[in-house]
Amino acid sequence: MSTLFSPIELRGLKLANRIMVSPMCQYSAVDGSATDWHFTHINMLALSGAAMFCIEATHVEDIGRITPGCLGLYSDANEAALKPILASVRKHSKAAVAMQLAHAGRKASSQRPWEGGQLIPVAQGGWQTVAPSAVPHKDGEASPLALDDAGLKRIRDEFVAAAKRAERLGIDALELHSAHGYLLHQFLSPIANKRTDQYGGSLTNRMRYPLEVFDAVRAAFPDRKPVGVRVSATDWVEGGWDVAQTIEYSKELKKRGVDWMDVSSGGVSPLQKIPLGPGYQVPAAQAVREATGVTTMAVGLITEAKQAEEIVATGKADMVALARGLLYDPRWGWHAAATLGGEVTAPPQYWRSQPSTQKALFGTTTFGAR
């Protein structure tokens, strides 16, 4: 019996296996609204065999977008653009659909990665960014504006408004983006947070605003539906955010009812030195899980079925989230199930693809002709 293909529950959400399609920015929205690219991308990966698909970082205000092409959920137009996409997913897939709510903070107003990914100056069509402190992400860049009390309240309220829009759309779960150097991570990390008020300095103070945002979103989203958090477990920079602080943050989130911790790393500083390798972030997920008991997801260069099985079977994490591996192989879940003796659901239009050696791959199926 494959552990990877065993069921798991996140609050009131029952998942048939322990694979999530990780949120992946597509940089293909227009004024925050999804396009035909999103229709294709989301519907394709909703049929990957993963039990849950997480929509990419979906920004809660226009100036919170990483790039001009990033997805948002801050307007009626944004909400309307997602409706037909989700309707199609619901018609053809049994995967749960989550959404990652985000704000890029000082890393907003950037070019798309294939355009260089650097800060777009206001004079060239960019916008003024905001952050915990007026400290730029890179030396030589324009400084963000340090958020005052009114700005903090505005953004917190925008997270709540986006959560309510997500509920109207029928989203099954939310993930708050508290990683990769974006706004909530900026508050956590002493590299980006130089405040001297109640939101800066000590670990308790640096955690305060991300926890306030979590509390507000949790209160606004139906209690039966799960809310998780993605975190960078380490900045990979000496003197920055680290695993020990991540554990304390996870403990505080556990008190508030967090349903999972999605454990990634890095992103807050260009000085980071990341030792890339297969499953390089799994030890951090394991550390969080062992110290807190919170359901954890491992992510990062998890590409092989047996690798994913070992992670969950040995208790290093409860689930795995895949990104690049699923872009390369959009049926990764099917192929992993075939390798591990698991079962996935597939639409009847695809039942004929079941290999002759894998008659139970899609469960009980019938296919006749005359």
Side-chain angles (χ1 to χ4, degrees):
M1 180 67 183
S2 165
T3 306
L4 188 64
F5 286 92
S6 65
I8 188 171
E9 290 190 29
L10 302 172
R11 197 168 285 247
L13 184 63
K14 297 180 180 180
L15 303 177
N17 61 53
R18 293 161 182 258
I19 308 167
M20 182 176 83
V21 180
S22 200
M24 292 177 273
C25 291
Q26 296 298 293
Y27 312 104
S28 300
V30 176
D31 294 328
S33 293
T35 64
D36 55 351
W37 177 262
H38 293 91
F39 189 98
T40 299
H41 170 73
I42 293 172
N43 276 277
M44 174 178 68
L45 291 185
L47 298 177
S48 68
M52 185 158 71
F53 175 95
C54 190
I55 294 173
E56 67 192 86
T58 305
H59 298 88
V60 301
E61 66 172 354
D62 56 353
I63 66 167
R65 292 173 296 158
I66 306 165
T67 77
C70 281
L71 198 64
L73 192 54
Y74 48 79
S75 72
D76 292 344
N78 296 163
E79 186 177 338
L82 284 166
K83 284 183 179 179
I85 298 173
L86 290 166
S88 180
V89 170
R90 300 305 190 189
K91 185 176 181 180
H92 301 295
S93 170
K94 293 184 179 180
V97 180
M99 173 181 281
Q100 186 185 71
L101 296 183
H103 193 295
R106 69 181 188 176
K107 289 181 75 174
S109 190
S110 298
Q111 296 171 327
R112 295 171 178 85
W114 51 82
E115 296 168 344
Q118 300 306 300
L119 180 70
I120 305 171
V122 173
Q124 296 176 23
W127 56 88
Q128 176 63 59
T129 62
V130 296
S133 305
V135 178
H137 179 70
K138 291 174 65 175
D139 289 343
E141 290 184 342
S143 295
L145 290 178
L147 286 160
D148 59 12
D149 288 345
L152 293 172
K153 181 180 185 302
R154 183 193 78 244
I155 292 173
R156 188 168 57 242
D157 290 348
E158 294 287 8
F159 269 97
V160 168
K164 291 178 178 179
R165 289 184 185 275
E167 165 58 15
R168 285 202 295 269
L169 286 166
I171 295 295
D172 298 306
L174 293 177
E175 179 176 271
L176 294 190
H177 202 345
S178 184
H180 300 166
Y182 300 124
L183 184 68
L184 299 185
H185 183 190
Q186 290 162 27
F187 272 91
L188 295 173
S189 175
I191 291 174
N193 186 344
K194 305 298 183 182
R195 298 176 75 101
T196 56
D197 63 0
Q198 64 177 329
Y199 295 109
S202 69
L203 175 60
T204 297
N205 283 358
R206 285 182 280 115
M207 292 192 298
R208 191 183 307 277
Y209 188 66
L211 291 173
E212 286 179 0
V213 171
F214 177 85
D215 287 343
V217 169
R218 180 64 278 180
F221 202 56
D223 185 65
R224 71 184 186 281
K225 294 187 176 184
V227 178
V229 171
R230 172 164 278 195
V231 65
S232 279
T234 173
D235 291 338
W236 299 111
V237 178
E238 187 174 351
W241 183 255
D242 56 24
V243 173
Q245 293 175 89
T246 298
I247 288 170
E248 294 307 309
Y249 182 42
S250 301
K251 287 178 178 178
E252 290 301 318
L253 286 164
K254 182 180 181 179
K255 294 176 186 176
R256 292 160 165 79
V258 74
D259 293 293
W260 74 81
M261 294 299 297
D262 183 358
V263 184
S264 188
S265 70
V268 85
S269 170
L271 301 178
Q272 65 189 16
K273 290 180 171 57
I274 303 178
L276 290 175
Y280 68 103
Q281 295 170 156
V282 173
Q286 182 177 1
V288 170
R289 184 177 189 268
E290 290 177 352
T292 68
V294 174
T295 297
T296 61
M297 295 182 186
V299 61
L301 293 184
I302 299 168
T303 58
E304 304 298 327
K306 291 181 180 179
Q307 175 194 16
E309 175 71 17
E310 188 272 339
I311 290 167
V312 295
T314 59
K316 293 175 181 174
D318 299 281
M319 296 181 66
V320 295
L322 280 80
R324 283 169 284 187
L326 275 162
L327 290 182
Y328 188 72
D329 178 6
R331 297 289 180 265
W332 190 93
W334 297 15
H335 302 148
T339 297
L340 300 171
E343 180 182 306
V344 292
T345 59
Q349 295 93 329
Y350 288 172
W351 283 353
R352 282 179 293 184
S353 71
Q354 189 170 249
S356 59
T357 56
Q358 301 286 340
K359 293 297 187 182
L361 181 61
F362 298 150
T364 303
T365 61
T366 58
F367 210 93
R370 61 185 294 267

